[in-house]
Amino acid sequence: MKNRPNRNYLVFITHTLILLLFVTSVYANSSTYVSKIYDDFESNLLVKQQIKLNGKIIDENGVPLPGANVIEKGTTNGVVTDLDGNFSISVLNNSSVVVISYIGYKSKEIVANKQPGVVQLELDADALDEIVLVGYGSSKRKDVTGAVASVSEKDMNQGAITSPLQLISGKAAGVNINQTGSEPGSSPSVRIRGISSLIGGNDPLVVVDGIQGNMDLLSQIPPSEIASIDILKDASATAVYGSRGAAGVIIVSTKKNKAGISTFQYVGSYSIDYIPKELDMLNSDQWWTQAQLSGVPASANHGSNTDWYNLLTQSGSTQSHTLSFGGGTDKFNYRASLSAILQEGVVINSKNQKYIGRIVATQKALDDNLTLTYNLNSGIIENTGTVQSIGRASFTSNLITNAYLMRPTDPVLDVDGSYFNDPNVFQYLNPYAVAQTVVNDGQQDNLFGSLKADLDVYDGLTLGWFGSWRKTNNTNGFFLPVESTSANAIDQNGFANIVNNKQNEKLMNISLSYKKIFGEHSVNALALYEWQNQTYQGNYTQARGFINNIATYNALQLGDLSNVRPGDFSSYKNDRTLVSFLGRINYSFMNRYLLTLSLRRDGSSVFGANHKWGNFPSASVAWQIDQEPFMESQTIFDELKLRGGYGVTGNQQGLYPQNSLSLVGGSGVTYFGGQQITNFNVIQNANADLRWETKKQTNIGLDFALLEGRLRGTIDAYTATTDNLLFDYTVPQPPYPYSTIKANVGSILNQGLEVSLAYDLIDTDDMTLTLAGNVSFLKNEVKNLSGSINGVPLNTNYVPWGPNSYLIEGQPIGTFNILHHTGKDDANSETVQDDGDGIIDQGNQSPDRMLQGSALPTYSYAFNPTFQYKKFDVAMLWRSSGGNKIYNSLKSSLSYLENVGRSNVLESAVDLGIYNSRYGSDLWLEKGDFLRLENLTAGYTFDFKSVKYLNSVRLSITGNNLILITNYSGIDPELNFTGGNGFGGDNGIYPRTRSFVIGLDVKFN
């Protein structure tokens, strides 16, 4: 029998296997369950550890940034901000880092254990790739090939700003802005790269949001509403404006609202203005002592002790208020503002009040292919001015200068209460009486608007249309009563006049632009047609012989109508039209080699029949050296660009309609047969060859940045020659019926060097210190003033152009050709140097005269350090000019002791001891160099995170014209540098003030 397995053994084995299978099953299931429990626990634990962050992102101005990225670093977890800049994000734990970024701004990282609250991003100059307006379009700064200076809002001057030009004073090399006096409503003058015309005009063309105009257009823009100002300096940049671009172009861009953002802001300032300096005149005791030494009779001493200067002056004030608001979506947005600039002058009864309202709106349509931009600006300027030209026949000037002339012993009022008048002094004038009784009112009403339409026709192809309409109405009323003590008013029993001038300007252009990138090639082309029309209309009416002063100039019919004289009334109306064609192409290869070509053809109605049309070409190139492969390994330059350009521009500013035609006008009256007959005569010669001046300019420039952009700068050298110089040349009679003719003959040369530098000495998250400045050197020369017209020679050398200054071939404009002071003789009369012939010749080309410099400054520089620590900031502007001379006519008039009997003199006149003089010598010629601390501003910005409707408040304190360093003995060396006839002399100015300003900028949510 066979052996069988033990049954019990089999049962054990079977039970053991079953047990193993059970245990294995239980273990497997329990392991999965435990793992699930662990995973759930870990998940719940992480949920409990996650951090939720809430915040708001704003820009440098406190405006919310919609669409900003908020991402947890190292993950894909992220959100974007809403229309109000708010965000909410959950991150892993307290150690997580959130990265906040927005195009054009520096990214900011925040650790999750800190609630971000309100996060303000800073502009990233490199990422922003600054946009520059270059005329009929814009360009990235790195692609600009011409000489263009740009000033953004954050770099503009602060304080009691009443003119946009004050915002950029000292900010751009080669752009000289000077303020002559501080009369309310007055604006600085600006010259870009010197003086290039005599009568053709040296004011740059002004373009505000595409609207073209003269310098008056700037006065119609609230300074607080300006976002940026670009200055086109060389001909390769300005040639796109053809016959209007010779003196440079100032392009102003006003603030626009950002899509999807609502804004509400108040910007205001208040300043106290006072006069920092006055001339040292003799007081009453000093005057009487000197009068007795000069033999003045006792009847000239009226026993008073009057400080005429302080009587006519006061502390002034300037206040500015702008309320702006805007909103909209990505399809439509708008910005509107209301502004008031109110000035009370430092001379009594002088003030200016300016009110401006503006709105700009943008609408997108046709699936965002059509963009419409609408701009409307309306303003009213009311002005009460002091009399600028009044006084004795031997010396006419403003009221302040007349105050210096007054004897300190003269009373203000006579014994009967009327204003004092001394009949023993010829044409005596009481300046306080003039200030209190004369009515000199002006009102200017401005309205301009524009509409711009851009339609994206095809890939890169855009069709554009732009139209603008500008209307200006000026009304001035003047009344000079007998009580003013003016001899002119007394003789005429008072007189009044009203002047009305209207200006109507229309502009329209149609453009076709194409932008495309073909691999390494980039093309930006523009074709444009433009039409401009300007209509001028006005009238003048005057009356005299008023029986009372009740109606002043408002009822001229109350004057003596039987005493109407020739010239008491007149009117005019004329217009001018300019038609233009422009082609421009910008080409870039490999982002290294840049080329800009343009050609503008202008046709103007003001020119002669033979020269209605002119061509104005330009070409410029640039080489981005830092983009070359051989520069990849270098660590010195972050940017290095070499530029070169040449262009031709025109100038027609100094020409008026019908200047090329022979005109006949009134020429006195004749009594014949008992009747008065008006005579007529030729008052203007015809010139069918009259045309614009042409300015040919070559510019070479270098742009660079080093040390990771901390040191940056620009260097430009240029040569500009103005040919076909417009001037009123003397011609013989006959063959010409009139003694002068407007013609194109001479030429002027300007050469210059400009350097701008900026260095970030400190650049951290909390603190920055930037040292910036610029310097300009200018050489000016009148090349020639001679030529011929129709075979008749024109020789116009040594033309008087100011007090003892001339236009001389081979010399700068306004060269002083003057007699040399040598002392005084036994009778205390001034003596001058003689050439040896025993005769002092005072003719224009006298051999006794000596060349002694020019009225035109040869250099200027500015230094602009800025400092910021967190929310505190300080900015300073030092500005200087020099190399010029000033003829101090006012000092001359107040320094001769022979005048003591009828007027006052300077304290220095006593020590000088000159009784009289027959000459205008270099004794009164002084250097015009100066250094001025023009602006010092300190401010602090308060952020209000917990206030519902308040975003931020900035408080600032500004001092203007705080320090003046100069050897000039007059009130202020910054006088008329415009280059026109009469510049370079000091005949007395409205006082230049010093001011202290409190500023407030409030942004609401």
Side-chain angles (χ1 to χ4, degrees):
M1 180 176 173
K2 291 182 180 179
N3 294 328
R4 294 180 180 178
N6 187 296
R7 183 177 179 86
N8 292 332
Y9 179 76
L10 291 174
V11 171
F12 173 77
I13 293 299
T14 301
H15 287 175
T16 300
L17 290 173
I18 293 171
L19 180 61
L20 287 174
L21 290 173
F22 175 77
V23 170
T24 301
S25 175
V26 170
Y27 176 79
N29 287 306
S30 64
S31 176
T32 302
Y33 179 72
V34 171
S35 177
K36 184 177 185 303
I37 293 176
Y38 178 79
D39 290 343
D40 291 343
F41 173 77
E42 183 181 38
S43 178
N44 291 334
L45 181 63
L46 288 175
V47 169
K48 290 182 179 179
Q49 285 183 337
Q50 276 190 336
I51 304 298
K52 189 173 184 179
L53 302 179
N54 300 305
K56 182 176 183 178
I57 302 176
I58 60 176
D59 66 8
E60 75 283 3
N61 296 315
V63 177
L65 289 174
N69 294 310
V70 183
I71 300 176
E72 183 179 0
K73 191 173 184 180
T75 73
T76 58
N77 176 33
V79 297
V80 296
T81 56
D82 61 18
L83 291 178
D84 296 322
N86 297 316
F87 70 90
S88 179
I89 185 174
S90 296
V91 297
L92 188 62
N93 53 46
N94 287 334
S95 300
S96 297
V97 176
V98 173
V99 180
I100 300 173
S101 62
Y102 192 81
I103 296 176
Y105 290 81
K106 295 180 180 178
S107 297
K108 182 169 285 190
E109 296 185 356
I110 297 175
V111 181
N113 61 6
K114 296 180 180 179
Q115 282 291 335
V118 177
V119 180
Q120 187 172 43
L121 299 184
E122 297 179 10
L123 283 170
D124 185 346
D126 296 329
L128 191 60
D129 204 356
E130 184 180 356
I131 298 298
V132 178
L133 299 180
V134 292
Y136 302 105
S138 61
S139 176
K140 295 179 181 178
R141 169 161 290 284
K142 67 182 183 63
D143 294 335
V144 172
T145 57
V148 181
S150 300
V151 183
S152 61
E153 181 188 6
K154 64 183 179 63
D155 296 322
M156 293 177 180
N157 298 320
Q158 300 183 48
I161 303 296
T162 59
S163 166
L165 288 176
Q166 295 171 325
L167 294 172
I168 60 173
S169 176
K171 297 294 185 177
V175 182
N176 295 318
I177 298 171
N178 73 288
Q179 179 83 41
T180 304
S182 300
E183 183 172 13
S186 64
S187 297
S189 65
V190 56
R191 292 292 177 264
I192 299 175
R193 293 188 165 181
I195 310 300
S196 57
S197 180
L198 298 178
I199 67 170
N202 289 286
D203 287 339
L205 173 67
V206 175
V207 182
V208 178
D209 293 333
I211 301 170
Q212 301 179 23
N214 54 21
M215 295 300 295
D216 287 342
L217 183 58
L218 279 180
S219 67
Q220 300 165 26
I221 304 298
S224 58
E225 283 294 282
I226 292 177
S228 65
I229 297 178
D230 297 281
I231 303 107
L232 312 185
K233 298 190 291 184
D234 74 329
S236 68
T238 63
V240 293
Y241 289 101
S243 61
R244 304 189 72 181
V249 182
I250 296 177
I251 303 179
V252 177
S253 178
T254 60
K255 294 179 181 178
K256 314 294 190 301
N257 209 65
K258 296 180 181 178
I261 299 176
S262 295
T263 60
F264 183 33
Q265 182 179 6
Y266 166 80
V267 178
S269 65
Y270 182 83
S271 76
I272 297 295
D273 312 322
Y274 70 95
I275 303 170
K277 179 183 179 181
E278 61 181 275
L279 299 179
D280 296 322
M281 309 298 296
L282 298 181
N283 61 33
S284 56
D285 292 335
Q286 293 172 323
W287 181 86
W288 180 232
T289 298
Q290 187 59 45
Q292 290 176 302
L293 293 174
S294 300
V296 175
S299 59
N301 186 348
H302 297 281
S304 294
N305 184 12
T306 305
D307 188 337
W308 290 95
Y309 187 87
N310 287 330
L311 194 65
L312 267 75
T313 58
Q314 61 185 6
S315 294
S317 65
T318 301
Q319 52 182 310
S320 174
H321 309 276
T322 296
L323 189 65
S324 61
F325 51 93
T329 66
D330 58 341
K331 300 291 185 181
F332 172 79
N333 66 82
Y334 72 94
R335 180 184 177 92
S337 67
L338 295 172
S339 301
I341 301 174
L342 313 175
Q343 295 177 268
E344 190 76 27
V346 291
V347 177
I348 60 174
N349 296 325
S350 63
K351 63 181 180 180
N352 183 273
Q353 298 176 322
K354 183 185 300 184
Y355 306 93
I356 303 173
R358 63 181 298 268
I359 183 170
V360 58
T362 301
Q363 172 75 58
K364 290 186 177 293
L366 304 180
D367 292 331
D368 293 345
N369 289 314
L370 176 63
T371 302
L372 299 171
T373 303
Y374 170 75
N375 191 340
L376 181 64
N377 187 300
S378 180
I380 298 174
I381 302 175
E382 297 178 341
N383 184 75
T384 299
T386 65
V387 181
Q388 293 299 308
S389 181
I390 198 168
R392 306 166 192 177
S394 59
F395 191 85
T396 60
S397 188
N398 57 49
L399 291 186
I400 289 299
T401 301
N402 277 277
Y404 285 131
L405 290 172
M406 295 301 294
R407 297 174 301 200
T409 58
D410 288 356
V412 179
L413 301 176
D414 217 331
V415 291
D416 60 358
S418 63
Y419 292 107
F420 178 78
N421 192 349
D422 189 348
N424 296 317
V425 176
F426 179 66
Q427 293 187 340
Y428 184 90
L429 182 76
N430 185 327
Y432 185 76
V434 174
Q436 294 290 13
T437 64
V438 169
V439 180
N440 187 19
D441 297 333
Q443 179 169 319
Q444 183 181 97
D445 301 324
N446 304 298
L447 177 66
F448 63 85
S450 67
L451 178 63
K452 180 176 174 59
D454 294 304
L455 178 63
D456 294 333
V457 180
Y458 187 68
D459 184 22
L461 186 65
T462 302
L463 178 64
W465 183 91
F466 178 84
S468 66
W469 194 346
R470 179 185 173 212
K471 301 188 73 173
T472 301
N473 187 2
N474 282 291
T475 300
N476 291 91
F478 181 79
F479 178 63
L480 187 68
V482 173
E483 289 80 2
S484 67
T485 71
S486 167
N488 195 13
I490 294 173
D491 292 343
Q492 301 185 60
N493 199 25
F495 72 90
N497 58 57
I498 298 177
V499 182
N500 289 299
N501 291 294
K502 297 179 180 180
Q503 195 168 328
N504 192 340
E505 300 183 3
K506 300 174 184 177
L507 181 145
M508 184 275 295
N509 63 52
I510 300 174
S511 63
L512 189 65
S513 62
Y514 181 69
K515 297 181 181 180
K516 192 69 174 178
I517 297 176
F518 305 92
E520 295 181 334
H521 306 271
S522 175
V523 175
N524 184 348
L526 171 71
L528 178 139
Y529 164 78
E530 187 168 79
W531 171 88
Q532 302 177 49
N533 178 264
Q534 299 165 321
T535 302
Y536 309 95
Q537 185 175 4
N539 57 75
Y540 172 85
T541 308
Q542 180 168 275
R544 61 185 58 79
F546 292 88
I547 59 174
N548 59 52
N549 306 332
I550 297 176
T552 65
Y553 60 81
N554 293 304
L556 298 183
Q557 68 273 16
L558 298 181
D560 184 2
L561 299 183
S562 66
N563 192 15
V564 177
R565 305 175 185 177
D568 277 352
F569 54 89
S570 62
S571 64
Y572 69 93
K573 183 177 182 180
N574 53 58
D575 69 340
R576 61 197 300 164
T577 300
L578 181 70
V579 175
S580 308
F581 300 91
L582 169 66
R584 179 178 65 192
I585 184 169
N586 296 87
Y587 170 74
S588 171
F589 177 61
M590 299 177 65
N591 286 325
R592 301 177 199 164
Y593 314 110
L594 311 174
L595 170 67
T596 300
L597 298 173
S598 73
L599 175 63
R600 177 159 175 152
R601 180 169 172 81
D602 282 348
S604 176
S605 63
V606 301
F607 293 111
N610 299 335
H611 294 280
K612 292 291 186 184
W613 290 88
N615 299 319
F616 304 98
S618 75
S620 58
V621 295
W623 178 24
Q624 300 266 31
I625 304 175
D626 58 284
Q627 299 296 316
E628 292 288 352
F630 63 80
M631 295 288 287
E632 290 181 356
S633 60
Q634 63 86 30
T635 58
I636 298 176
F637 291 99
D638 302 292
E639 178 188 357
L640 186 62
K641 180 171 71 174
L642 181 64
R643 295 177 282 105
Y646 172 83
V648 179
T649 51
N651 191 353
Q652 57 168 329
Q653 286 187 54
L655 289 182
Y656 299 94
Q658 303 176 344
N659 268 170
S660 64
L661 305 177
S662 178
L663 298 180
V664 175
S667 180
V669 296
T670 299
Y671 290 91
F672 182 78
Q675 293 183 342
Q676 179 176 300
I677 300 175
T678 302
N679 291 328
F680 291 90
N681 203 349
V682 174
I683 59 173
Q684 179 177 283
N685 288 318
N687 183 2
D689 292 320
L690 193 66
R691 59 191 183 275
W692 31 58
E693 299 174 340
T694 55
K695 183 177 181 180
K696 303 172 183 177
Q697 186 171 176
T698 302
N699 188 96
I700 297 176
L702 182 69
D703 303 329
F704 58 88
L706 300 83
L707 308 176
E708 297 182 350
R710 295 182 65 173
L711 176 61
R712 51 203 176 274
T714 298
I715 302 173
D716 279 283
Y718 64 90
T719 297
T721 302
T722 303
D723 294 321
N724 301 318
L725 201 64
L726 286 166
F727 198 65
D728 290 314
Y729 295 92
T730 301
V731 291
Q733 293 177 278
Y736 287 95
Y738 193 68
S739 60
T740 63
I741 188 170
K742 204 174 292 291
N744 306 86
V745 176
S747 63
I748 292 177
L749 171 68
N750 282 286
Q751 295 175 314
L753 177 66
E754 302 165 356
V755 180
S756 297
L757 291 173
Y759 178 62
D760 298 328
L761 187 62
I762 301 174
D763 187 10
T764 66
D765 291 339
D766 291 334
M767 183 184 300
T768 59
L769 174 60
T770 300
L771 306 178
N774 59 77
V775 61
S776 305
F777 301 95
L778 173 68
K779 178 185 178 182
N780 174 272
E781 180 183 343
V782 178
K783 297 295 291 183
N784 73 78
L785 290 170
S786 303
S788 64
I789 180 170
N790 297 329
V792 177
L794 303 178
N795 191 344
T796 316
N797 204 1
Y798 285 86
V799 178
W801 204 243
N804 289 289
S805 69
Y806 298 84
L807 300 177
I808 304 174
E809 292 185 3
Q811 299 295 327
I813 294 174
T815 293
F816 290 102
N817 189 33
I818 195 168
L819 300 172
H820 177 57
H821 170 81
T822 56
K824 54 186 178 180
D825 58 18
D826 294 339
N828 289 326
S829 295
E830 183 186 15
T831 59
V832 295
Q833 183 172 305
D834 178 29
D835 68 338
D837 63 0
I839 300 174
I840 303 299
D841 180 4
Q842 297 197 58
N844 294 348
Q845 302 186 48
S846 164
D848 294 325
R849 292 183 177 271
M850 302 171 59
L851 299 180
Q852 296 199 44
S854 168
L856 195 65
T858 59
Y859 72 85
S860 64
Y861 65 85
F863 177 56
N864 180 213
T866 57
F867 172 78
Q868 182 172 356
Y869 176 70
K870 294 185 177 179
K871 301 298 181 181
F872 174 73
D873 60 88
V874 179
M876 179 186 298
L877 173 64
W878 290 87
R879 192 169 60 83
S880 175
S881 174
N884 62 302
K885 298 287 185 67
I886 299 172
Y887 188 80
N888 198 337
S889 299
L890 179 58
K891 185 176 182 180
S892 170
S893 300
L894 298 175
S895 294
Y896 297 123
L897 296 180
E898 70 170 348
N899 296 326
V900 169
R902 56 183 180 270
S903 65
N904 201 358
V905 295
L906 292 162
E907 289 183 0
S908 60
V910 177
D911 294 332
L912 187 63
I914 296 180
Y915 186 74
N916 59 17
S917 177
R918 294 178 295 165
Y919 316 111
S921 72
D922 60 2
L923 174 62
W924 317 113
L925 195 63
E926 304 183 44
K927 291 184 178 180
D929 305 53
F930 71 87
L931 173 63
R932 189 192 306 276
L933 176 54
E934 185 161 298
N935 186 288
L936 175 61
T937 298
Y940 190 88
T941 302
F942 299 88
D943 287 330
F944 291 91
K945 302 176 182 179
S946 59
V947 180
K948 184 175 182 181
Y949 298 112
L950 194 58
N951 185 295
S952 66
V953 174
R954 171 180 164 78
L955 292 174
S956 63
I957 299 176
T958 300
N960 289 323
N961 189 27
L962 295 177
I963 299 174
L964 176 63
I965 301 173
T966 182
N967 289 324
Y968 181 62
S969 63
I971 292 296
D972 198 292
E974 195 164 2
L975 299 166
N976 177 2
F977 296 155
T978 59
N981 194 344
F983 91 114
D986 184 356
N987 290 306
I989 62 173
Y990 189 101
R992 179 74 180 260
T993 61
R994 179 169 296 162
S995 62
F996 294 93
V997 191
I998 297 177
L1000 176 65
D1001 186 343
V1002 183
K1003 294 183 176 70
F1004 300 91
N1005 289 321

